[in-house]
Amino acid sequence: MLGIVRRKVCAKGLPVTVPGETLRFFRPVVHALRNYSSAAKELTVREALNSALDEEMSADPKVFLMGEEVGEYQGAYKISKGLLDKYGPDRVLDTPITEAGFTGIGVGAAYYGLKPVVEFMTFNFSMQAIDHIINSAAKSNYMSAGQINVPIVFRGPNGAAAGVGAQHSQCYAAWYASCPGLKVLSPYSSEDARGLLKAAIRDPDPVVFLENELLYGESFPVSAEALDSSFCLPIGKAKIEREGKDVTITAFSKMVGHALKAADILAKDGISAEVINLRSIRPLDRATINASVRKTNRLVTVEEGFPQHGVGAEICTSVVEESFGYLDAPVERIAGADVPMPYAANLERMAVPQVEDIVRAAKRACYRSVPLAAAA
Amino acid sequence: MAMAALLRRQPFWKPAVRLLSEKTVKAPGFGLLAPCFREHAMGRRPSPAFLWPRRFESTVSQEHLQFPDDDDNHRDLDFPGGKVAFTDKLSFLSGSAEARIPCYRVLDDSGHPLDHSGFSLQVKEELAVKIYERMVTLQMMDVIFYEAQRQGRLSFYLTTMGEEAINIASAAALKDEDVVLPQYREPGILLWRGFTLQEFANQLFGNEADYGKGRQMPIHYGSNKHNYFTVSSPIATQLPQAVGVAYALKMEKKDACAVTYMGDGGTSEGDFHASLNFAAVTESPVIFICRNNGWAISTHINEQFRSDGVAVKGRAYGIRSIRVDGNDALAVYDAVHHAREISVKEQVPILIEALTYRIGHHSTSDDSTKYRPVDEINYWKNSRNPVSRLRRWVERNGWWCNEAETRLRTNIRKQLLEVIGEAEKLKKPPMAELFADVYDTPSSNLVEQQRQLAETVRIHSGCYPPDVPV
């Protein structure tokens, strides 16, 4: 019942993360409650993605979905549930196991003018197709001088899940975002998922769309505007999830939830944190980030991926280049541990940023004394 | 009866392999053997049944005694993937067939039509002469542009020498609406479709008239209006892309197919296998044309694969294939013409292996005399040249002569020297083109960088080349 209470209290629209299991169990009760509250409708990220795909496929016959298990199995994570029945096997293709093959085919179809949505079961497997993503999709418009554009979307879960080990847990945001010609998006909430996926499908350039497996089951309130089929979020604009004045915390995907929890904890200690949900890794919304840092004078970047050459490193450089004079403290960077992801639950917990890590970093940035991190 | 049940049950120690063929069972005299000895004769340990007193055998049919393990009498086995006849012989399929796949040709080496040729298409004078003229043009283009690179006027060039027939004759057999995804040794397709010598030269020099806006190395031609996708350097990436294009054509029910080319080396790439498999599974109208020219830079085909060339691989994916003499323009024309018909009508992929020889070096960065004998190169250049072979046929038909040859070659040479001169003179693309086409509309950081660069060049104009406009 606690989940429902929390939701009512936060009806003014702050996104609230509710454990997926709890929500599923309580959903029927929530429906009943919803009739009485003025809060917006709730949608899981999974439903948001499914509805976005459905609407875009309905609106444009050139859009089609391709990937392993997307059809008969309804999607490895059930994101494409119901689409095969609705649109048929011509537009929802179950592919043989060859990422290089179906990515190449998707790019070829995009060259010709169709709008493929290529699903990777996880982005770890996209490495088997990375030549097609970079050398065929990202660079073609430039190399052909505008004669071949590639309106393709590569989507799938990215980053750590739970207990899946090194080859299933890497975050690819930094890799793809370093490549000109690609656009890289990473949604957090259901509204993000809907708006950004629609924008990605409509965009004439290749877009890498990084989802998160653990967020699929999480539920968020969505406004009526977001439920409209023409809803679209701009690519390249970050969202200020929570305003603050003492320290800026940037994050994307699952880490936004952690950052918001950290902000709650910091608020109790009198530190008002501004949480920025990047939404778009490339192009990075440097304007919003810098404006925020100029206001708060302190920055903590949070990401799940490996630290070296990561997203946080780029944000730090951007702030140093444009807003150095405004910084009152060194930039703090929170990232995943610099090791392949271990499997054992206790080790995995230590390899991925936790809320406490963000809280400590923010306090360091605010020159508060911080107790040493607890041993494992 | 309990005994009958015992006899009919599968002996658990039944050998997995029948050591003797069924013939042994039917050999004369076998029937005379007492049943307890027949098992021995068949190389099997006798079942317990035979250790029992013989009076029980008469209650069980002979079949069960001789084949106690034959539970079902079906000749076929039913597995996912369909019915398959079973065999009781352990034998491995040979890695290669008894004979290599034969190679289709129409003309012999001296340009004579073969006696019992199956060639049925009408290639009249106009078409034949056009094909021949374009082959000569391609040949001369290669010579002159290669020389220009050697003189330092171009940074790089790659010839098609020896493969003129594949280039021109295959293009002639296609329609303009067929979408072509080349590797890089197929400029002849563009030439056939109307790309001018000036347009070729502009790309080579990367000047402002280049459709590629100076973005790519020489020979990376591309032209939307000719349905020829821009050449991309990584090997074989165009193959799955071609399947994607074919799939799109199929979805839009167009009367056209995708055609993609690769070399023998390209068939080793993972993309080759993925694309053939996918094309078959999706039933897409795509023609895969492999130019098996014997060499992948310095790797001879003996080191590239151990199969019977490339044509045999089509069957592995369920694709109809053909091997054709790539130096015989008419054979190539015939094969591609029919392949296109089948592909579009039945919406299936086709694999064509065109055997040929790469007369030139891999590119201007290569000296092939380092890894193959000069005699071999000269043999193919002089005795097995596709251009001369077609010439003999065209002349024999009375459609060509020495004067026409001289006229053509002089004309082409003059044109080539002119276009090189023109292309060299033209300015390079403006600096603004550095930032365009990264995305559909430039992102804000690119707009900013372009503005900054223009400003810097303006202020420090003495430090920047004067012939590169901003």
Side-chain angles (χ1 to χ4, degrees):
Chain A
M1 288 297 137
L2 183 61
I4 297 157
V5 169
R6 221 195 296 161
R7 221 169 297 114
K8 285 198 75 176
V9 162
C10 297
K12 57 182 153 125
L14 285 179
V16 173
T17 58
V18 176
E21 280 83 13
T22 327
L23 178 72
R24 252 179 259 127
F25 180 73
F26 285 129
R27 195 180 297 148
V29 188
V30 170
H31 275 261
L33 279 178
R34 207 180 299 135
N35 292 333
Y36 299 99
S37 79
S38 58
K41 182 174 168 182
E42 293 255 336
L43 218 59
T44 61
V45 171
R46 178 179 284 116
E47 287 164 344
L49 293 168
N50 183 275
S51 61
L53 278 169
D54 194 353
E55 285 161 21
E56 291 305 302
M57 285 178 77
S58 176
D60 187 347
K62 289 185 188 293
V63 177
F64 72 101
L65 179 62
M66 181 161 61
E68 293 155 4
E69 310 300 319
V70 296
E72 295 283 351
Y73 196 75
Q74 311 296 318
Y77 299 98
K78 307 292 184 253
I79 306 296
S80 51
K81 186 169 175 186
L83 296 180
L84 175 65
D85 283 337
K86 190 166 173 185
Y87 296 103
D90 273 353
R91 293 186 67 196
V92 180
L93 268 76
D94 274 324
T95 66
I97 307 179
T98 163
E99 279 72 13
F102 64 72
T103 308
I105 283 159
V107 171
Y111 280 175
Y112 184 78
L114 295 187
K115 293 191 183 167
V117 176
V118 174
E119 177 175 307
F120 292 114
M121 206 179 276
T122 82
F123 264 92
N124 296 273
F125 310 146
S126 74
M127 290 198 287
Q128 294 181 283
I130 202 165
D131 179 81
H132 276 294
I133 300 173
I134 308 291
N135 276 335
S136 297
K139 299 179 185 171
S140 277
N141 199 42
Y142 191 75
M143 290 196 308
S144 73
Q147 291 186 82
I148 309 173
N149 76 310
V150 192
I152 194 170
V153 175
F154 303 105
R155 51 161 290 273
N158 175 58
V164 289
Q167 295 172 330
H168 293 75
S169 308
Q170 193 167 332
C171 174
Y172 290 86
W175 281 30
Y176 289 121
S178 76
C179 186
L182 283 180
K183 291 181 177 166
V184 180
L185 304 175
S186 193
Y188 162 62
S189 65
S190 301
E191 187 166 309
D192 287 354
R194 259 184 72 78
L196 292 177
L197 185 55
K198 279 163 159 304
I201 293 173
R202 295 177 199 174
D203 198 284
D205 295 312
V207 180
V208 170
F209 193 82
L210 304 170
E211 302 159 3
N212 184 292
E213 189 201 323
L214 298 175
L215 284 177
Y216 283 149
E218 282 206 32
S219 195
F220 297 87
V222 272
S223 61
E225 188 208 343
L227 289 169
D228 187 65
S229 64
S230 64
F231 177 65
C232 202
L233 284 173
I235 292 179
K237 285 294 298 165
K239 180 184 178 195
I240 300 186
E241 292 284 349
R242 179 190 175 121
E243 289 199 10
K245 56 178 182 51
D246 294 327
V247 59
T248 300
I249 305 178
T250 64
F252 61 95
S253 190
K254 187 145 176 47
M255 293 292 123
V256 177
H258 282 19
L260 288 168
K261 290 201 188 97
D264 282 339
I265 295 171
L266 289 165
K268 296 200 190 73
D269 280 330
I271 298 176
S272 155
E274 178 150 292
V275 176
I276 300 182
N277 172 4
L278 293 176
R279 284 181 166 173
S280 176
I281 318 296
R282 186 180 184 103
L284 200 55
D285 190 354
R286 297 166 206 276
T288 300
I289 297 167
N290 277 280
S292 174
V293 172
R294 288 180 184 207
K295 183 173 74 167
T296 65
N297 311 123
R298 295 160 209 278
L299 174 62
V300 175
T301 69
V302 185
E303 68 196 287
E304 219 179 56
F306 300 133
Q308 191 166 343
H309 309 301
V311 176
E314 175 61 31
I315 294 175
C316 175
T317 305
S318 172
V319 164
V320 162
E321 282 173 352
E322 294 179 40
S323 313
F324 182 66
Y326 292 82
L327 283 170
D328 283 348
V331 174
E332 293 281 341
R333 169 177 63 172
I334 298 294
D338 199 21
V339 297
M341 183 71 70
Y343 166 75
N346 61 324
L347 296 179
E348 186 181 42
R349 203 183 175 282
M350 299 210 68
V352 176
Q354 304 297 328
V355 176
E356 304 81 62
D357 298 316
I358 304 173
V359 171
R360 269 198 304 276
K363 284 185 172 168
R364 277 197 302 269
C366 294
Y367 295 139
R368 301 287 186 88
S369 64
V370 165
L372 287 174
Chain B
M1 278 180 67
M3 203 51 54
L6 178 68
L7 287 168
R8 268 192 290 270
R9 199 177 58 207
Q10 285 252 25
F12 69 92
W13 41 260
K14 171 178 85 73
V17 171
R18 291 191 189 215
L19 299 170
L20 298 173
S21 71
E22 303 219 54
K23 260 197 252 173
T24 315
V25 175
K26 299 196 176 72
F30 186 82
L32 298 172
L33 281 178
C36 58
F37 295 121
R38 280 180 213 155
E39 287 284 277
H40 282 290
M42 286 162 66
R44 280 188 264 163
R45 276 179 57 205
S47 80
F50 296 103
L51 303 176
W52 287 91
R54 292 186 65 210
R55 63 192 151 94
F56 287 105
E57 283 151 21
S58 59
T59 60
V60 178
S61 74
Q62 286 291 49
E63 275 177 271
H64 275 278
L65 286 177
Q66 281 165 15
F67 304 102
D69 53 351
D70 189 18
D71 263 349
D72 55 336
N73 292 320
H74 302 299
R75 303 305 303 172
D76 291 338
L77 296 173
D78 211 341
F79 275 112
K83 283 201 188 306
V84 56
F86 71 80
T87 170
D88 54 8
K89 276 207 274 290
L90 172 74
S91 85
F92 290 90
L93 273 180
S94 167
S96 51
E98 295 264 314
R100 294 194 63 188
I101 295 175
C103 182
Y104 177 60
R105 62 161 31 177
V106 173
L107 300 174
D108 67 15
D109 279 320
S110 54
H112 259 119
L114 295 174
D115 285 336
H116 304 288
S117 175
F119 187 60
S120 58
L121 295 175
Q122 292 299 311
V123 178
K124 300 233 172 52
E125 177 176 356
E126 197 191 323
L127 179 61
V129 167
K130 186 175 176 197
I131 291 177
Y132 178 68
E133 281 182 341
R134 292 292 178 282
M135 283 170 67
V136 171
T137 308
L138 180 56
Q139 198 184 49
M140 295 202 65
M141 214 174 95
D142 277 346
V143 169
I144 307 265
F145 285 138
Y146 188 91
E147 281 310 305
Q149 194 278 343
R150 282 291 175 249
Q151 292 167 9
R153 296 159 89 178
L154 285 181
S155 67
F156 176 84
Y157 192 72
L158 191 159
T159 67
T160 311
M161 288 180 195
E163 303 180 49
E164 294 89 350
I166 297 176
N167 267 245
I168 304 293
S170 68
L174 299 171
K175 295 206 161 67
D176 283 343
E177 50 270 19
D178 295 328
V179 183
V180 173
L181 289 93
Q183 178 71 73
Y184 47 60
R185 221 180 281 280
E186 301 93 11
I189 322 285
L190 259 183
L191 186 65
W192 177 268
R193 288 187 171 184
F195 212 60
T196 65
L197 295 176
Q198 186 67 66
E199 286 168 321
F200 279 112
N202 290 339
Q203 195 284 329
L204 295 171
F205 283 90
N207 59 33
E208 64 182 354
D210 169 25
Y211 298 141
K213 296 185 194 165
R215 301 265 172 71
Q216 291 232 62
M217 287 171 66
I219 69 100
H220 287 64
Y221 316 108
S223 175
N224 251 355
K225 63 180 193 271
H226 296 108
N227 271 330
Y228 186 94
F229 276 64
T230 310
V231 173
S232 163
S233 304
I235 300 290
T237 52
Q238 73 279 7
L239 302 178
Q241 291 164 8
V243 181
V245 170
Y247 189 77
L249 288 169
K250 182 183 155 105
M251 271 184 75
E252 303 205 329
K253 300 191 174 26
K254 289 267 160 68
D255 178 19
C257 61
V259 185
T260 185
Y261 296 78
M262 78 214 84
D264 39 285
T267 66
S268 295
E269 282 280 357
D271 275 348
F272 170 76
H273 303 276
S275 54
L276 257 64
N277 189 41
F278 237 114
V281 166
T282 54
E283 296 171 9
S284 299
V286 53
I287 303 176
F288 296 99
I289 301 182
C290 176
R291 296 174 291 95
N292 184 346
N293 62 20
W295 294 94
I297 310 189
S298 67
T299 308
H300 189 258
I301 42 173
N302 286 342
E303 292 162 329
Q304 193 70 248
F305 39 65
R306 288 296 153 86
S307 55
D308 171 20
V310 174
V312 72
K313 297 185 199 210
R315 174 160 278 193
Y317 297 102
I319 293 178
R320 241 171 296 182
S321 340
I322 187 170
R323 167 172 284 156
V324 76
D325 180 349
N327 286 358
D328 179 347
L330 295 183
V332 172
Y333 180 77
D334 201 8
V336 175
H337 179 96
H338 284 100
R340 190 202 179 271
E341 248 174 34
I342 297 169
S343 187
V344 174
K345 190 157 127 239
E346 296 179 39
Q347 297 283 291
V348 288
I350 305 277
L351 172 65
I352 298 177
E353 180 188 15
L355 297 181
T356 180
Y357 187 85
R358 191 195 80 209
I359 292 175
H361 306 304
H362 167 72
S363 72
T364 49
S365 310
D366 175 46
D367 173 11
S368 61
T369 59
K370 292 252 180 324
Y371 51 78
R372 55 184 188 174
V374 178
D375 292 343
E376 181 186 297
I377 304 172
N378 287 333
Y379 166 70
W380 285 91
K381 187 170 177 174
N382 301 323
S383 318
R384 303 282 295 270
N385 197 302
V387 183
S388 357
R389 189 159 156 200
L390 187 68
R391 178 179 172 177
R392 283 180 220 118
W393 180 72
V394 173
E395 273 179 349
R396 199 170 287 118
N397 283 335
W399 299 335
W400 198 254
C401 59
N402 282 340
E403 287 76 37
E405 181 82 10
T406 319
R407 242 198 333 266
L408 176 69
R409 287 191 183 259
T410 317
N411 192 358
I412 302 286
R413 188 186 163 78
K414 184 161 149 301
Q415 278 184 53
L416 282 165
L417 294 175
E418 265 169 22
V419 303
I420 288 179
E422 276 304 308
E424 249 178 345
K425 275 202 238 98
L426 280 177
K427 282 189 166 171
K428 300 296 183 215
M431 279 189 209
E433 291 296 354
L434 188 62
F435 304 96
D437 305 316
V438 179
Y439 298 107
D440 196 59
T441 47
S443 52
S444 58
N445 64 319
L446 288 176
V447 170
E448 179 54 30
Q449 285 171 38
Q450 184 184 335
R451 193 197 61 75
Q452 276 182 358
L453 179 61
E455 187 63 22
T456 311
V457 170
R458 192 183 62 77
I459 298 170
H460 306 281
S461 53
C463 303
Y464 288 88
D467 63 343
V468 182
V470 176

